[in-house]
Amino acid sequence: LAQRLQMAEYMALTKMIERRLQLQEAKAKNVDVPDLEVKQAIQQMKQQGETVDEKDPLNISTVRDQLTLLKVVEREVRNGIMVGEAEMKRYYKEHQDRFALPEEYTLSQILIQPRSADTAAEALEKARIVAAELKRGEKFEDAALRYSDGPNASRGGRIGLVRQGELLPAIERAIASLQPGGISDVIETPEGYHIVRVDEKTPKQFRPFEEVKFEIQSLVFQQKSEDVFQSWLVELKNKAYIEIKF
């Protein structure tokens, strides 16, 4: 606990020092925040539901400092950052899963539902018997008609098209590695015991680069901004001699 408290104190002090160094740099670079900008910022804060006493000099000073920090970072860090086409394409290639479209499946299921909490074991045993019959070659549609308690039993258990994210997590995990024609083991969910067959599976597809280009530009810009900001902070610290003792 003592170490955690010491670390928290160190982090708070570090943040305070970094803030002070940035404000000093802003002063050295003649970054100015007019009174009108401070008043406008306070009005925006009030419109967003924040309580700000604009007659309190401390509040005015805090808002002015925050605007000064934004301005100096914009000038010294963000204004010099460019994001090229090659960078965006490289990001797209390296993070392609981020732009994946939800996979689509056509499914059929057999659902065995316990009649009550006391019959859960009985329902599980029934599901295991059905699964064993399917492994021995029983036709899925016939088993669904005979055993399933699901609303699609009369259609041979056919659910139809579903997208990734629309299924119960346990079912989604169970069918993730199944190929078309594959049948899951018994899956337990709050609804009961499921046996699911993947009838069709759409190969993973991705949003095209041109569609996500501006989204990528923003992501890469933010990433580069953070990197340049951290380097800038290091430069500010190197210009000042700071020793923190505990």
Side-chain angles (χ1 to χ4, degrees):
L1 178 60
Q3 285 183 333
R4 287 201 296 270
L5 288 172
Q6 190 177 51
M7 180 57 70
E9 289 175 6
Y10 177 83
M11 294 299 294
L13 184 56
T14 299
K15 289 291 183 186
M16 185 183 72
I17 291 170
E18 289 175 350
R19 179 183 174 89
R20 181 52 53 193
L21 288 174
Q22 290 175 69
L23 289 171
Q24 288 177 357
E25 183 70 5
K27 185 176 181 181
K29 295 293 177 69
N30 297 313
V31 175
D32 180 55
V33 177
D35 291 343
L36 179 59
E37 288 186 28
V38 175
K39 289 181 180 179
Q40 288 173 340
I42 289 174
Q43 288 306 313
Q44 288 179 353
M45 292 166 70
K46 286 183 174 180
Q47 289 171 6
Q48 293 168 2
E50 295 187 45
T51 303
V52 184
D53 182 0
E54 52 191 307
K55 295 181 181 180
D56 185 343
L58 182 60
N59 283 341
I60 299 296
S61 177
T62 299
V63 173
R64 190 185 301 277
D65 284 352
Q66 191 59 40
L67 292 173
T68 301
L69 291 172
L70 291 172
K71 276 194 171 186
V72 72
V73 169
E74 185 69 28
R75 181 190 296 184
E76 300 298 316
V77 176
R78 296 170 68 89
N79 279 353
I81 295 174
M82 302 291 291
V83 179
E85 184 91 357
E87 288 179 285
M88 290 189 282
K89 287 183 176 178
R90 184 169 62 249
Y91 185 94
Y92 178 76
K93 185 177 180 181
E94 292 175 355
H95 302 83
Q96 202 165 31
D97 277 347
R98 183 173 191 144
F99 308 105
L101 293 167
E103 290 189 74
E104 294 181 338
Y105 310 93
T106 301
L107 304 177
S108 297
Q109 80 159 348
I110 296 168
L111 172 63
I112 309 298
Q113 293 179 311
R115 303 305 175 199
S116 67
D118 294 334
T119 60
E122 182 182 324
L124 176 57
E125 182 59 27
K126 181 179 177 182
R128 287 173 174 165
I129 291 170
V130 175
E133 289 184 9
L134 292 170
K135 286 180 180 178
R136 288 195 296 268
E138 174 77 12
K139 193 175 179 181
F140 194 95
E141 288 79 4
D142 292 344
L145 280 167
R146 191 178 314 122
Y147 299 113
S148 182
D149 298 317
N152 36 39
S154 62
R155 300 194 302 273
R158 187 174 177 82
I159 298 173
L161 183 70
V162 294
R163 291 180 176 82
Q164 189 177 24
E166 295 177 348
L167 298 166
L168 291 167
I171 295 177
E172 200 152 281
R173 287 193 298 270
I175 68 170
S177 60
L178 292 180
Q179 297 304 312
I183 299 174
S184 73
D185 292 328
V186 176
I187 309 163
E188 182 178 358
T189 78
E191 292 182 7
Y193 300 97
H194 309 250
I195 302 168
V196 179
R197 183 182 67 189
V198 176
D199 299 322
E200 295 176 20
K201 187 175 184 178
T202 304
K204 183 179 281 191
Q205 299 181 54
F206 303 91
R207 295 163 66 195
F209 173 75
E210 290 300 324
E211 183 183 307
V212 297
K213 182 176 179 179
F214 293 109
E215 183 180 336
I216 292 173
Q217 185 179 40
S218 177
L219 289 166
V220 175
F221 182 85
Q222 291 300 325
Q223 190 177 72
K224 292 180 74 173
S225 295
E226 181 59 27
D227 292 342
V228 174
F229 176 72
Q230 292 302 327
S231 297
W232 179 63
L233 276 183
V234 170
E235 288 179 16
L236 294 183
K237 290 174 184 178
N238 288 339
K239 288 195 295 186
Y241 177 73
I242 303 168
E243 184 178 8
I244 303 174
K245 293 183 178 179
F246 280 90

